[in-house]
Amino acid sequence: MNTPLADSQEKMAHALLNHSNEGLGEIFAHDEAELQARIAVYRNNVFFSLSNAISDLYPVINQLVGEEFFLALAKRYIRENPPASAAMVFFGAEFPEFVSQDKACLSLPYLADVARFELAKQHCYHAQDAKPLSLQIMHELGAEKLMASVLKLHPSLRLVDSKTASRSIWQAHQIEKPNFSEIDVATAEQSILVRPEFDLLICRADAALLLLITEIEKGAILAEAIDMTLEKYPGFDLASAMAMGFSNGFFTDIHSPQE
Amino acid sequence: MTIELPNSAGIGFKPKHLADLLLQKSEVSWLEVHPENYMGDGGLPHQDLLAVSEAFPLSMHGVGMSLGSADGVNDEHLERLAKLVDAYQPARVSEHLAWSHWNQVFLNDLLPMPYTRESLNLVAENLGRVQDRLKRTILVENPSLYLSFRGDEFSEAEFLNELCKTTGCGLLFDVNNLYVSANNTGFDAQQYLKELNIKNIAEVHLAGHSIESLPNESKLLIDDHGSPVRQEVWSLYQSLVFNLGEMPPTLIEWDTDTPDFEQMDLEAGLANQYAANALSNKILKESAA
């Protein structure tokens, strides 16, 4: 049984999210027309602030579908996935899955992938800071020790494995007038996002590099992770993969497996 | 003990003002941030906050604790706030007399509550938990209201007086909210200031509001923090400073379409100037009497 206060909060929360003013007349001292106008101020605040948060997090999706469509999409999302926390940095994480299921978005199969890319960017941006290892460590250790070691990934590192050209579409929208006539949206793209210091780096990767990083993330010894990768992708270019990893700050620590 | 907020003007921190704040001398002597914007683990937001917290006294003004929620304050949120307070040691921590979450759903707005004995006990309990966890007293801000409840048992001023007495909290008094609520729910702002125990005020907020019309054509004022402070609010501020006998730490809030630093600096300068005028007026009146 609700207390009177809990009862009024339950009714108001329902009224705000569901656009119905049911039960509010007994709580507030206004006639119907005035109540409507006054509750609208709070309802606008709720939807305006939350759809702004979604739009800040997914600016390229907003550009791709246009303001009006985006706002309607954001409102549907908010109603189905209202935030559970006051920390807006965690809000909107289910949006890519929501987009992939939303009927109005079905004709744009790359939309959910671009949303996943933007979410990975957000997570990368807000992740724990850590000092990356430099390429120098490869020289210091030598190949034999390096291969027998376990590498620790940078806490900001995120893998984006898309069936569509999510990175190219995203990049095309970083300028004023995007032109993606040259992009084949149906090309699968793999990306690695990492923030070694304050600037976020976007690395073009391939399925082999993604597999290697995934194995490293699981804690595999480097030699085993490489074997696994070469087995599936015999053409894998290890030297350039390691150079890319160390020069972009993918790793923060290296140790022998027993440590 | 951390440094206190100075008895002068501050502004809400926006990253776009960072360079101006750090490089130029201005009317701004302290800064306020919403802790919710710094609840990620790292990155640029923390770098910026560290830089300004080394240069300015800091106030952490929460918008998500939901002190008025019938289902209590959220432990996870309280822990996140405690971590930030511990890391940055702000001079002040404040929150709102409002609720924002019900049944695991966070509505991201400051929603109103009736001024009843039940509400008073509940807010006191929630506030007590926050103060115990943070090991400090916090300030509570009066809300901007768009609705009147049936069955209020206290006026807002009485409610705040009681809350401060019961919990030891102080007040963050928002003069614009007073003006907005007085218009929107029909009470007299001057009378309210007579009822309120102004000794509890440890910080003041000032902001702009916009004006809408209700179906009966009366005005509904919207506390949108999107324009300069209005003259009517400056007048109320001056009478408050006059009665306090000193300038409280006074914040200019401008969160919607925040202008460049130059205009924020002008508004901060106005606060310093209006407060000085009120105080000199008081001294002249007292020596004439």
Side-chain angles (χ1 to χ4, degrees), chain B residues 39-94:
Chain B
M39 289 184 170
D41 290 327
L44 203 53
H46 284 278
Q47 176 73 0
D48 288 351
L49 186 55
L50 186 66
V52 295
S53 71
E54 282 169 354
F56 291 92
L58 197 66
S59 153
M60 276 192 184
H61 181 52
V63 292
M65 192 55 74
S66 198
L67 292 174
S69 270
D71 53 358
V73 297
N74 178 303
D75 283 327
E76 207 180 344
H77 188 73
L78 181 53
E79 283 312 309
R80 287 192 184 119
L81 177 65
K83 197 174 150 196
L84 282 170
V85 169
D86 194 43
Y88 294 97
Q89 298 289 319
R92 281 292 183 187
V93 177
S94 52

Short mmCIF file of all heavy atoms in Angstrom, two decimals, chain B residues 39-94:
data_model
loop_
_atom_site.label_atom_id
_atom_site.label_comp_id
_atom_site.label_asym_id
_atom_site.label_seq_id
_atom_site.Cartn_x
_atom_site.Cartn_y
_atom_site.Cartn_z
N MET B 39 30.36 12.00 -13.76
CA MET B 39 30.22 10.66 -13.20
C MET B 39 30.80 9.58 -14.09
O MET B 39 30.71 8.39 -13.79
CB MET B 39 28.78 10.40 -12.79
CG MET B 39 28.43 11.23 -11.55
SD MET B 39 26.80 10.97 -10.88
CE MET B 39 26.94 11.89 -9.32
N GLY B 40 31.43 9.98 -15.21
CA GLY B 40 32.22 9.04 -15.98
C GLY B 40 33.54 8.79 -15.24
O GLY B 40 33.85 9.45 -14.26
N ASP B 41 34.31 7.80 -15.73
CA ASP B 41 35.53 7.41 -15.00
C ASP B 41 36.72 8.33 -15.25
O ASP B 41 37.59 8.45 -14.40
CB ASP B 41 35.93 5.98 -15.38
CG ASP B 41 34.95 4.97 -14.83
OD1 ASP B 41 34.41 5.23 -13.74
OD2 ASP B 41 34.74 3.93 -15.48
N GLY B 42 36.80 8.93 -16.44
CA GLY B 42 37.99 9.73 -16.74
C GLY B 42 37.77 10.61 -17.95
O GLY B 42 36.63 10.96 -18.27
N GLY B 43 38.87 10.98 -18.60
CA GLY B 43 38.79 11.77 -19.83
C GLY B 43 38.77 13.27 -19.58
O GLY B 43 38.98 13.74 -18.46
N LEU B 44 38.45 13.99 -20.66
CA LEU B 44 38.51 15.44 -20.64
C LEU B 44 37.66 16.12 -19.56
O LEU B 44 38.13 17.10 -18.95
CB LEU B 44 38.11 15.95 -22.04
CG LEU B 44 38.61 17.33 -22.44
CD1 LEU B 44 40.11 17.46 -22.26
CD2 LEU B 44 38.21 17.63 -23.88
N PRO B 45 36.43 15.63 -19.29
CA PRO B 45 35.65 16.31 -18.25
C PRO B 45 36.41 16.39 -16.91
O PRO B 45 36.41 17.43 -16.25
CB PRO B 45 34.39 15.44 -18.11
CG PRO B 45 34.26 14.77 -19.44
CD PRO B 45 35.66 14.55 -19.93
N HIS B 46 37.06 15.30 -16.54
CA HIS B 46 37.80 15.30 -15.27
C HIS B 46 39.04 16.20 -15.34
O HIS B 46 39.40 16.85 -14.36
CB HIS B 46 38.17 13.87 -14.85
CG HIS B 46 37.00 13.14 -14.29
ND1 HIS B 46 36.59 13.27 -12.98
CD2 HIS B 46 36.11 12.30 -14.87
CE1 HIS B 46 35.52 12.52 -12.78
NE2 HIS B 46 35.20 11.92 -13.91
N GLN B 47 39.68 16.21 -16.51
CA GLN B 47 40.84 17.08 -16.70
C GLN B 47 40.45 18.54 -16.51
O GLN B 47 41.12 19.30 -15.82
CB GLN B 47 41.39 16.83 -18.12
CG GLN B 47 42.55 17.71 -18.52
CD GLN B 47 43.83 17.31 -17.81
OE1 GLN B 47 43.83 16.37 -17.02
NE2 GLN B 47 44.88 18.05 -18.05
N ASP B 48 39.31 18.93 -17.13
CA ASP B 48 38.81 20.31 -17.00
C ASP B 48 38.46 20.63 -15.55
O ASP B 48 38.78 21.69 -15.03
CB ASP B 48 37.54 20.51 -17.86
CG ASP B 48 37.86 20.54 -19.35
OD1 ASP B 48 39.05 20.57 -19.71
OD2 ASP B 48 36.90 20.55 -20.15
N LEU B 49 37.77 19.69 -14.91
CA LEU B 49 37.33 19.94 -13.53
C LEU B 49 38.53 20.08 -12.60
O LEU B 49 38.53 20.94 -11.70
CB LEU B 49 36.41 18.79 -13.07
CG LEU B 49 35.75 18.96 -11.71
CD1 LEU B 49 34.95 20.26 -11.63
CD2 LEU B 49 34.83 17.78 -11.40
N LEU B 50 39.54 19.28 -12.85
CA LEU B 50 40.75 19.39 -12.03
C LEU B 50 41.39 20.77 -12.22
O LEU B 50 41.76 21.43 -11.24
CB LEU B 50 41.74 18.28 -12.44
CG LEU B 50 42.99 18.19 -11.58
CD1 LEU B 50 42.62 17.77 -10.15
CD2 LEU B 50 43.99 17.20 -12.17
N ALA B 51 41.45 21.21 -13.47
CA ALA B 51 42.07 22.52 -13.75
C ALA B 51 41.31 23.65 -13.05
O ALA B 51 41.92 24.51 -12.42
CB ALA B 51 42.11 22.76 -15.26
N VAL B 52 39.99 23.65 -13.14
CA VAL B 52 39.25 24.76 -12.51
C VAL B 52 39.22 24.62 -10.99
O VAL B 52 39.21 25.62 -10.29
CB VAL B 52 37.82 24.96 -13.08
CG1 VAL B 52 37.87 25.38 -14.53
CG2 VAL B 52 36.95 23.76 -12.87
N SER B 53 39.23 23.39 -10.50
CA SER B 53 39.17 23.24 -9.04
C SER B 53 40.49 23.67 -8.38
O SER B 53 40.52 23.99 -7.21
CB SER B 53 38.81 21.81 -8.64
OG SER B 53 39.89 20.94 -8.91
N GLU B 54 41.56 23.68 -9.17
CA GLU B 54 42.83 24.18 -8.63
C GLU B 54 42.87 25.71 -8.65
O GLU B 54 43.61 26.34 -7.90
CB GLU B 54 44.01 23.61 -9.43
CG GLU B 54 44.31 22.16 -9.02
CD GLU B 54 45.26 21.46 -9.95
OE1 GLU B 54 45.64 22.02 -10.99
OE2 GLU B 54 45.63 20.30 -9.63
N ALA B 55 42.07 26.31 -9.52
CA ALA B 55 42.11 27.77 -9.68
C ALA B 55 40.98 28.50 -8.94
O ALA B 55 41.12 29.68 -8.63
CB ALA B 55 42.07 28.12 -11.17
N PHE B 56 39.87 27.81 -8.66
CA PHE B 56 38.70 28.47 -8.07
C PHE B 56 38.08 27.63 -6.95
O PHE B 56 38.09 26.41 -7.05
CB PHE B 56 37.60 28.66 -9.13
CG PHE B 56 37.93 29.65 -10.20
CD1 PHE B 56 38.53 29.23 -11.38
CD2 PHE B 56 37.63 31.00 -10.05
CE1 PHE B 56 38.84 30.14 -12.38
CE2 PHE B 56 37.92 31.91 -11.05
CZ PHE B 56 38.54 31.48 -12.22
N PRO B 57 37.49 28.31 -5.93
CA PRO B 57 36.65 27.54 -5.01
C PRO B 57 35.48 26.95 -5.79
O PRO B 57 34.97 27.58 -6.72
CB PRO B 57 36.15 28.60 -4.02
CG PRO B 57 37.10 29.74 -4.14
CD PRO B 57 37.58 29.74 -5.56
N LEU B 58 35.07 25.75 -5.42
CA LEU B 58 34.12 24.99 -6.22
C LEU B 58 32.87 24.64 -5.41
O LEU B 58 32.97 24.30 -4.22
CB LEU B 58 34.82 23.70 -6.65
CG LEU B 58 34.23 22.89 -7.79
CD1 LEU B 58 34.32 23.69 -9.10
CD2 LEU B 58 35.01 21.58 -7.95
N SER B 59 31.72 24.74 -6.06
CA SER B 59 30.49 24.27 -5.44
C SER B 59 29.94 23.14 -6.30
O SER B 59 29.89 23.26 -7.52
CB SER B 59 29.50 25.44 -5.39
OG SER B 59 28.18 24.97 -5.40
N MET B 60 29.57 22.02 -5.67
CA MET B 60 28.95 20.93 -6.42
C MET B 60 27.45 20.95 -6.17
O MET B 60 27.00 20.75 -5.04
CB MET B 60 29.53 19.58 -5.98
CG MET B 60 30.80 19.25 -6.68
SD MET B 60 31.28 17.55 -6.41
CE MET B 60 32.86 17.57 -7.26
N HIS B 61 26.73 21.20 -7.24
CA HIS B 61 25.29 21.40 -7.14
C HIS B 61 24.58 20.27 -7.87
O HIS B 61 24.47 20.28 -9.09
CB HIS B 61 24.95 22.77 -7.76
CG HIS B 61 23.51 23.11 -7.72
ND1 HIS B 61 22.77 23.05 -6.55
CD2 HIS B 61 22.65 23.52 -8.68
CE1 HIS B 61 21.53 23.42 -6.81
NE2 HIS B 61 21.42 23.70 -8.09
N GLY B 62 24.10 19.30 -7.10
CA GLY B 62 23.50 18.11 -7.70
C GLY B 62 22.10 18.36 -8.23
O GLY B 62 21.37 19.20 -7.72
N VAL B 63 21.76 17.62 -9.27
CA VAL B 63 20.41 17.69 -9.81
C VAL B 63 19.75 16.30 -9.82
O VAL B 63 18.63 16.16 -10.31
CB VAL B 63 20.39 18.29 -11.24
CG1 VAL B 63 20.75 19.75 -11.23
CG2 VAL B 63 21.31 17.52 -12.18
N GLY B 64 20.44 15.30 -9.25
CA GLY B 64 19.90 13.96 -9.41
C GLY B 64 19.68 13.17 -8.12
O GLY B 64 19.33 11.99 -8.17
N MET B 65 19.87 13.79 -6.94
CA MET B 65 19.77 13.00 -5.71
C MET B 65 18.33 12.66 -5.37
O MET B 65 18.05 11.67 -4.70
CB MET B 65 20.44 13.77 -4.56
CG MET B 65 20.65 12.95 -3.30
SD MET B 65 21.56 11.42 -3.57
CE MET B 65 23.21 12.07 -3.82
N SER B 66 17.40 13.50 -5.83
CA SER B 66 15.98 13.22 -5.62
C SER B 66 15.65 13.09 -4.14
O SER B 66 15.12 12.06 -3.69
CB SER B 66 15.59 11.96 -6.40
OG SER B 66 14.21 11.86 -6.58
N LEU B 67 15.98 14.15 -3.38
CA LEU B 67 15.76 14.12 -1.92
C LEU B 67 14.30 13.90 -1.55
O LEU B 67 13.99 13.45 -0.46
CB LEU B 67 16.23 15.45 -1.30
CG LEU B 67 17.74 15.72 -1.32
CD1 LEU B 67 18.02 17.13 -0.81
CD2 LEU B 67 18.48 14.68 -0.48
N GLY B 68 13.40 14.22 -2.49
CA GLY B 68 11.97 14.10 -2.18
C GLY B 68 11.35 12.80 -2.63
O GLY B 68 10.14 12.63 -2.52
N SER B 69 12.14 11.85 -3.13
CA SER B 69 11.55 10.61 -3.62
C SER B 69 11.02 9.74 -2.49
O SER B 69 11.75 9.43 -1.55
CB SER B 69 12.57 9.80 -4.43
OG SER B 69 12.50 10.16 -5.79
N ALA B 70 9.77 9.31 -2.67
CA ALA B 70 9.15 8.46 -1.65
C ALA B 70 9.86 7.11 -1.57
O ALA B 70 9.81 6.45 -0.53
CB ALA B 70 7.67 8.27 -1.97
N ASP B 71 10.54 6.70 -2.65
CA ASP B 71 11.27 5.43 -2.57
C ASP B 71 12.76 5.62 -2.22
O ASP B 71 13.59 4.75 -2.50
CB ASP B 71 11.08 4.58 -3.85
CG ASP B 71 11.41 5.33 -5.13
OD1 ASP B 71 11.77 6.53 -5.05
OD2 ASP B 71 11.33 4.73 -6.22
N GLY B 72 13.07 6.76 -1.62
CA GLY B 72 14.40 6.95 -1.03
C GLY B 72 15.46 7.40 -2.02
O GLY B 72 15.22 7.44 -3.22
N VAL B 73 16.65 7.76 -1.49
CA VAL B 73 17.73 8.16 -2.38
C VAL B 73 18.41 6.89 -2.92
O VAL B 73 18.39 5.85 -2.28
CB VAL B 73 18.77 9.09 -1.71
CG1 VAL B 73 18.14 10.40 -1.29
CG2 VAL B 73 19.46 8.43 -0.54
N ASN B 74 19.00 7.03 -4.12
CA ASN B 74 19.62 5.89 -4.78
C ASN B 74 21.06 5.72 -4.27
O ASN B 74 21.87 6.64 -4.36
CB ASN B 74 19.58 6.19 -6.29
CG ASN B 74 20.22 5.12 -7.12
OD1 ASN B 74 21.40 4.80 -6.94
ND2 ASN B 74 19.47 4.59 -8.05
N ASP B 75 21.35 4.54 -3.72
CA ASP B 75 22.67 4.29 -3.10
C ASP B 75 23.81 4.45 -4.08
O ASP B 75 24.85 5.01 -3.76
CB ASP B 75 22.73 2.86 -2.55
CG ASP B 75 21.98 2.76 -1.24
OD1 ASP B 75 21.98 3.75 -0.49
OD2 ASP B 75 21.38 1.70 -1.00
N GLU B 76 23.60 3.93 -5.28
CA GLU B 76 24.65 3.99 -6.29
C GLU B 76 24.98 5.45 -6.63
O GLU B 76 26.15 5.83 -6.75
CB GLU B 76 24.16 3.26 -7.55
CG GLU B 76 25.24 2.69 -8.39
CD GLU B 76 24.67 1.97 -9.62
OE1 GLU B 76 23.46 1.68 -9.65
OE2 GLU B 76 25.45 1.74 -10.54
N HIS B 77 23.93 6.25 -6.76
CA HIS B 77 24.14 7.67 -7.06
C HIS B 77 24.86 8.37 -5.91
O HIS B 77 25.77 9.18 -6.13
CB HIS B 77 22.79 8.35 -7.35
CG HIS B 77 22.95 9.75 -7.86
ND1 HIS B 77 23.40 10.02 -9.12
CD2 HIS B 77 22.77 10.95 -7.26
CE1 HIS B 77 23.47 11.33 -9.29
NE2 HIS B 77 23.09 11.91 -8.18
N LEU B 78 24.46 8.05 -4.70
CA LEU B 78 25.10 8.65 -3.52
C LEU B 78 26.58 8.27 -3.47
O LEU B 78 27.44 9.11 -3.16
CB LEU B 78 24.36 8.21 -2.24
CG LEU B 78 24.87 8.76 -0.92
CD1 LEU B 78 24.95 10.28 -0.94
CD2 LEU B 78 23.95 8.31 0.23
N GLU B 79 26.90 7.03 -3.81
CA GLU B 79 28.31 6.60 -3.82
C GLU B 79 29.11 7.36 -4.88
O GLU B 79 30.25 7.75 -4.66
CB GLU B 79 28.42 5.09 -4.06
CG GLU B 79 28.09 4.25 -2.84
CD GLU B 79 28.79 4.73 -1.56
OE1 GLU B 79 30.02 4.93 -1.57
OE2 GLU B 79 28.08 4.93 -0.56
N ARG B 80 28.50 7.55 -6.05
CA ARG B 80 29.19 8.29 -7.12
C ARG B 80 29.45 9.73 -6.68
O ARG B 80 30.51 10.30 -6.96
CB ARG B 80 28.34 8.30 -8.40
CG ARG B 80 28.32 6.96 -9.11
CD ARG B 80 27.72 7.11 -10.51
NE ARG B 80 27.62 5.81 -11.13
CZ ARG B 80 26.49 5.24 -11.52
NH1 ARG B 80 25.34 5.89 -11.39
NH2 ARG B 80 26.49 4.05 -12.06
N LEU B 81 28.47 10.32 -6.00
CA LEU B 81 28.65 11.70 -5.53
C LEU B 81 29.76 11.74 -4.47
O LEU B 81 30.63 12.61 -4.51
CB LEU B 81 27.34 12.25 -4.96
CG LEU B 81 27.44 13.65 -4.37
CD1 LEU B 81 27.78 14.68 -5.45
CD2 LEU B 81 26.15 14.06 -3.66
N ALA B 82 29.72 10.77 -3.56
CA ALA B 82 30.72 10.74 -2.49
C ALA B 82 32.14 10.64 -3.06
O ALA B 82 33.07 11.28 -2.58
CB ALA B 82 30.44 9.56 -1.55
N LYS B 83 32.28 9.87 -4.12
CA LYS B 83 33.58 9.70 -4.77
C LYS B 83 34.08 11.04 -5.33
O LYS B 83 35.26 11.40 -5.20
CB LYS B 83 33.43 8.66 -5.89
CG LYS B 83 34.73 8.08 -6.39
CD LYS B 83 34.44 6.96 -7.39
CE LYS B 83 35.58 6.88 -8.39
NZ LYS B 83 35.22 6.12 -9.59
N LEU B 84 33.17 11.79 -5.96
CA LEU B 84 33.54 13.09 -6.53
C LEU B 84 33.87 14.11 -5.44
O LEU B 84 34.83 14.88 -5.56
CB LEU B 84 32.39 13.63 -7.39
CG LEU B 84 32.24 13.03 -8.78
CD1 LEU B 84 30.94 13.48 -9.41
CD2 LEU B 84 33.42 13.45 -9.66
N VAL B 85 33.06 14.10 -4.38
CA VAL B 85 33.28 15.04 -3.28
C VAL B 85 34.65 14.75 -2.65
O VAL B 85 35.42 15.65 -2.34
CB VAL B 85 32.14 14.94 -2.23
CG1 VAL B 85 32.48 15.68 -0.96
CG2 VAL B 85 30.84 15.47 -2.83
N ASP B 86 34.94 13.48 -2.53
CA ASP B 86 36.22 13.07 -1.97
C ASP B 86 37.39 13.50 -2.87
O ASP B 86 38.41 13.99 -2.40
CB ASP B 86 36.19 11.54 -1.80
CG ASP B 86 37.31 11.08 -0.91
OD1 ASP B 86 37.53 11.75 0.12
OD2 ASP B 86 37.97 10.08 -1.25
N ALA B 87 37.21 13.35 -4.17
CA ALA B 87 38.30 13.64 -5.10
C ALA B 87 38.55 15.14 -5.26
O ALA B 87 39.69 15.58 -5.37
CB ALA B 87 38.01 13.02 -6.47
N TYR B 88 37.48 15.94 -5.29
CA TYR B 88 37.65 17.37 -5.62
C TYR B 88 37.44 18.30 -4.42
O TYR B 88 37.69 19.50 -4.53
CB TYR B 88 36.71 17.76 -6.77
CG TYR B 88 37.07 17.08 -8.06
CD1 TYR B 88 36.42 15.92 -8.48
CD2 TYR B 88 38.09 17.58 -8.87
CE1 TYR B 88 36.77 15.28 -9.67
CE2 TYR B 88 38.45 16.95 -10.05
CZ TYR B 88 37.78 15.80 -10.45
OH TYR B 88 38.13 15.18 -11.62
N GLN B 89 36.99 17.76 -3.29
CA GLN B 89 36.83 18.57 -2.07
C GLN B 89 36.17 19.92 -2.32
O GLN B 89 36.76 20.98 -2.06
CB GLN B 89 38.20 18.78 -1.41
CG GLN B 89 38.88 17.50 -0.95
CD GLN B 89 38.17 16.89 0.26
OE1 GLN B 89 37.78 17.61 1.17
NE2 GLN B 89 37.99 15.58 0.25
N PRO B 90 34.94 19.94 -2.84
CA PRO B 90 34.28 21.23 -3.09
C PRO B 90 34.00 21.98 -1.79
O PRO B 90 33.83 21.35 -0.73
CB PRO B 90 32.98 20.83 -3.78
CG PRO B 90 32.70 19.44 -3.30
CD PRO B 90 34.05 18.79 -3.14
N ALA B 91 33.96 23.33 -1.90
CA ALA B 91 33.65 24.14 -0.71
C ALA B 91 32.22 23.87 -0.26
O ALA B 91 31.94 23.87 0.94
CB ALA B 91 33.83 25.61 -1.04
N ARG B 92 31.31 23.64 -1.21
CA ARG B 92 29.91 23.40 -0.89
C ARG B 92 29.34 22.28 -1.73
O ARG B 92 29.73 22.10 -2.89
CB ARG B 92 29.07 24.64 -1.18
CG ARG B 92 29.16 25.72 -0.12
CD ARG B 92 28.51 25.25 1.15
NE ARG B 92 28.51 26.30 2.16
CZ ARG B 92 28.11 26.09 3.41
NH1 ARG B 92 27.72 24.90 3.80
NH2 ARG B 92 28.13 27.08 4.27
N VAL B 93 28.41 21.54 -1.13
CA VAL B 93 27.62 20.56 -1.87
C VAL B 93 26.15 20.94 -1.68
O VAL B 93 25.76 21.26 -0.55
CB VAL B 93 27.86 19.12 -1.36
CG1 VAL B 93 26.97 18.13 -2.10
CG2 VAL B 93 29.33 18.72 -1.52
N SER B 94 25.39 20.94 -2.74
CA SER B 94 23.98 21.30 -2.60
C SER B 94 23.10 20.40 -3.45
O SER B 94 23.58 19.71 -4.35
CB SER B 94 23.77 22.76 -2.97
OG SER B 94 24.31 23.03 -4.24
#
